[in-house]
Amino acid sequence: QFQVRNYKRLTPLTVLDYALESLDNLRPGDCIVCFSKNDIYSVSRQIEARGLECAVIYGSLPPGTKLEQAKKFNDPDDPCKILVATDAIGMGLNLCIRRIIFNSIVKPTVNEKGEKEIDSIPTSQALQIAGRAGRFGSSFTQGEVTTMHREDLVQLKEILSEAVPPVKAAGLHPTPEQIEMFAYHLPDATLSNLIDIFVSLSQVDGMYFVCNIDDFKFLADMIQHIPLNLRSRYVFCTAPLNRKEPFVCTTLLKFARQFSRNEPLTFDWLCRHTKWPLSAPKNIKELVHLEAVHDVFDLYLWLSYRFMDMFPDAALVRGIQKKLDDIIQVGVRNITKLIRASQSAAAAGTAEVVSEDFPATKRDARVASDRHSAKSPQALSIAVEAPALRRARSPRASRSGTRQEDLKSYGRGSLANRLLREGLLTQEMLRQLESEWQDQHRNGRYGFGSKRDDQLSSNETGKKRK
C-alpha cells in the first residue's frame, strides 16, 4: 500500500539565457555542481585563488561534515558565500542557494545490468539539483539555474523541459531464504555461483527486473575462502561499501575472518587495524584515507546491528567516529591547503590525484605531464578533464550522438592509473617498475632495440674480443 502525493513548487525557478563562463562572474549564494571529486578540488582551488571562500560538499564526506559545511554556507555572517558540491546536495540538506551552476551536464553511471555509461544527466536528477535554488523559506525568493559553459546551456534547457519518465519496473534481489533453498539442492556451489544460477533461472514480467548483483558477487568471491555459514556469508555480502575502496574491502575481509573464528571484533582490535587515533590530514590523499576509515566505522556499526555479540563495542565506535568526523571537518575547511600540499607532493613524485570517475587516456596523461612541468597554480597538476566532458561541451554534440563514442572511450586508459586507482599498485611500486624497466631496456634484455642497435652492440662486442 502506498500513496502518491504531488507538491507544487512555491517559488519561481528561472533558467538563465547566459552561462557563467568564468569564475570571475560568481555572486554570493552561487553553487557550482560538479560530478567528480577532482572537479570539486580544481574548482574550489580556483575560487579561493580569486580571494573568495567556498564550502565543499560531496558524497563520501561524513554526514556531520556535510551539515557543518552547509551551516557555514547558510550563515549570513560567515564570509563563505560560494558552495562547490556534487549531486549530494540533491537530498537531505537545507541550503540557501540563489543560483545553481552546472559545471558539466554529463555523468558516469552504472545501469541495472552493471554496465558503465556516460550520458547527460536525466531530467529527474537535473530537476532535483536545479530545484535547490531559491527554495521556499530560504533567503532567496526565487531561484536561477545556468551552466558554466555556453554550449551546455541549450542542452540543459532541453533536459529540464522534458517530462520525467514514469517508473515502469521495480528491482528484485534474491532473499537469503531463496539462496538457502538453492544451496540445499546444490551443496557444493559457491554463493557467487548460487546467485548466478538464481538469476539465470529467474523469470520476471515487464513490471520487474533482477537487480544488478555485481557488488554482491564481488564480495562473495572475496570472502569465499573464509569458512562461514550461508546466512552469515549472505549478510556480509550485502554490506554497504564501495568496492573501489581497497582499505574498506580489506577491512571487511578481516572482519569476516575474525568472525569465522568466533572471536568478537572488539574496540581495541578495530583501533589497532585503523591505527586510531588519527591526526588531521596534510594532503588530499590523507583526507581520502580518513573518509575510508569513517566508512570502516560505518561498516562496523552496520554489522553490529546484525551480529551484536560479535561486534559488541558499537557505542565506543560511535564515539570515535564523531571524533573522526571533527578531524575530517578540519581537513575540509582547509581543503585549499591540502590541494596545494598534494600539488607539491605530485611535483616531487610522491603522490598523485586520479579522477575517481573517468579513467585517464594517454593524451590526458600527456596534458597532465605538461601541466605538471609548468606547475600551473590554477588546477591540480594531475587532475585532467575527461574526453567525454570536452565532447559534451562541443556545440555540435548531441545527447544521442556522443553517447556511443563516450562508451567506447570509457574503458581505454592508462593501465598504471587503473591499477593505482584500484589499489593494486602503489606509487613506490610504479617507480620501482619504471626503474627496473629502464635498466633492462638499457641492457637490451627485452629486445626493444632496433636491428641497427643490435648490429652496433655486436660490433662493439667484436672489437672487445679483438
Side-chain angles (χ1 to χ4, degrees), residues 32-88:
I32 301 178
V33 177
C34 307
F35 292 117
S36 80
K37 207 181 280 186
N38 266 351
D39 284 347
I40 290 274
Y41 298 152
S42 179
V43 170
S44 59
R45 172 76 177 87
Q46 294 176 61
I47 289 172
E48 297 208 6
R50 288 164 166 78
L52 302 173
E53 194 171 335
C54 67
V56 175
I57 295 175
Y58 51 87
S60 57
L61 284 179
T65 305
K66 291 177 187 173
L67 291 172
E68 192 262 350
Q69 290 289 296
K71 181 180 177 182
K72 179 181 177 181
F73 174 70
N74 289 339
D75 186 355
D77 299 324
D78 196 291
C80 171
K81 302 299 180 189
I82 308 295
L83 176 64
V84 183
T86 63
D87 50 347

Side-chain angles (χ1 to χ4, degrees), residues 182-441:
F182 272 65
Y184 177 79
H185 296 285
L186 300 165
D188 296 328
T190 65
L191 178 56
S192 182
N193 289 340
L194 290 171
I195 288 285
D196 278 334
I197 295 167
F198 179 90
V199 171
S200 65
L201 295 178
S202 294
Q203 295 182 354
V204 291
D205 60 24
M207 294 181 66
Y208 299 94
F209 62 88
V210 179
C211 291
N212 175 32
I213 54 170
D214 286 351
D215 287 349
F216 186 97
K217 286 180 58 182
F218 172 82
L219 296 179
D221 289 333
M222 187 176 74
I223 65 172
Q224 179 54 42
H225 65 286
I226 298 174
L228 294 168
N229 64 58
L230 187 61
R231 182 63 68 113
S232 298
R233 190 181 299 278
Y234 181 97
V235 172
F236 271 91
C237 293
T238 55
L241 57 80
N242 181 358
R243 65 177 180 176
K244 293 180 182 178
E245 289 287 350
F247 182 72
V248 183
C249 292
T250 303
T251 302
L252 179 70
L253 190 63
K254 292 183 178 180
F255 281 177
R257 192 174 290 126
Q258 186 93 339
F259 184 95
S260 72
R261 294 194 290 258
N262 204 31
E263 298 175 6
L265 290 102
T266 63
F267 176 74
D268 291 338
W269 183 94
L270 186 64
C271 289
R272 284 197 305 273
H273 172 69
T274 57
K275 295 181 172 57
W276 181 264
L278 297 165
S279 56
K282 299 181 183 64
N283 52 49
I284 291 295
K285 185 178 179 181
E286 291 184 8
L287 176 62
V288 171
H289 177 68
L290 291 181
E291 292 166 7
V293 174
H294 194 280
D295 288 345
V296 165
F297 293 164
D298 264 344
L299 181 62
Y300 183 99
L301 294 173
W302 187 87
L303 289 165
S304 73
Y305 286 114
R306 289 145 181 87
F307 306 110
M308 294 182 185
D309 294 340
M310 297 301 292
F311 294 83
D313 296 329
L316 293 173
V317 173
R318 263 190 214 93
I320 62 171
Q321 190 180 43
K322 179 64 178 70
K323 293 178 181 178
L324 178 59
D325 201 336
D326 294 339
I327 295 170
I328 293 173
Q329 285 180 30
V330 172
V332 174
R333 279 199 295 269
N334 299 315
I335 197 163
T336 303
K337 293 179 182 177
L338 302 188
I339 294 169
R340 288 197 198 104
S342 297
Q343 285 181 300
S344 301
T350 58
E352 182 175 9
V353 178
V354 181
S355 171
E356 61 179 9
D357 293 322
F358 295 100
T361 62
K362 291 180 180 178
R363 182 182 181 278
D364 291 328
R366 190 165 61 250
V367 171
S369 177
D370 294 341
R371 291 178 185 171
H372 174 74
S373 301
K375 297 182 182 178
S376 168
Q378 296 302 318
L380 285 173
S381 57
I382 306 298
V384 293
E385 183 182 38
L389 289 175
R390 290 194 291 270
R391 279 196 292 275
R393 289 174 185 162
S394 168
R396 295 188 298 275
S398 65
R399 296 177 67 187
S400 59
T402 57
R403 179 171 173 183
Q404 291 304 319
E405 286 185 35
D406 294 337
L407 284 171
K408 290 176 183 175
S409 65
Y410 186 91
R412 295 198 303 268
S414 165
L415 175 61
N417 276 346
R418 288 204 300 274
L419 293 174
L420 285 166
R421 188 171 58 255
E422 293 169 7
L424 302 174
L425 188 68
T426 65
Q427 286 289 335
E428 183 59 36
M429 291 166 65
L430 184 60
R431 281 195 296 275
Q432 186 176 348
L433 286 170
E434 288 174 348
S435 175
E436 290 178 3
W437 183 87
Q438 288 170 359
D439 290 342
Q440 299 284 10
H441 182 52

Side-chain angles (χ1 to χ4, degrees), residues 73-197:
F73 174 70
N74 289 339
D75 186 355
D77 299 324
D78 196 291
C80 171
K81 302 299 180 189
I82 308 295
L83 176 64
V84 183
T86 63
D87 50 347
I89 64 166
M91 290 184 130
L93 291 171
N94 291 317
L95 297 161
C96 294
I97 299 171
R98 179 203 302 268
R99 180 171 59 172
I100 288 284
I101 301 152
F102 284 88
N103 190 56
S104 167
I105 54 173
V106 295
K107 180 185 177 182
T109 58
V110 178
N111 63 22
E112 64 272 9
K113 297 179 181 178
E115 299 167 339
K116 292 179 180 178
E117 295 181 344
I118 302 176
D119 202 357
S120 303
I121 54 175
T123 298
S124 58
Q125 190 173 30
L127 287 169
Q128 184 74 25
I129 297 169
R132 295 283 108 185
R135 298 279 290 182
F136 180 76
S138 72
S139 308
F140 305 108
T141 56
Q142 66 176 23
E144 298 175 339
V145 185
T146 187
T147 58
M148 177 64 72
H149 306 280
R150 189 187 309 171
E151 51 268 30
D152 286 344
L153 190 55
V154 174
Q155 195 172 346
L156 177 64
K157 288 182 177 181
E158 290 177 4
I159 294 171
L160 292 174
S161 63
E162 293 175 359
V164 177
V167 176
K168 295 181 179 179
L172 297 174
H173 193 282
T175 64
E177 292 79 15
Q178 290 169 328
I179 297 303
E180 283 175 339
M181 181 181 68
F182 272 65
Y184 177 79
H185 296 285
L186 300 165
D188 296 328
T190 65
L191 178 56
S192 182
N193 289 340
L194 290 171
I195 288 285
D196 278 334
I197 295 167

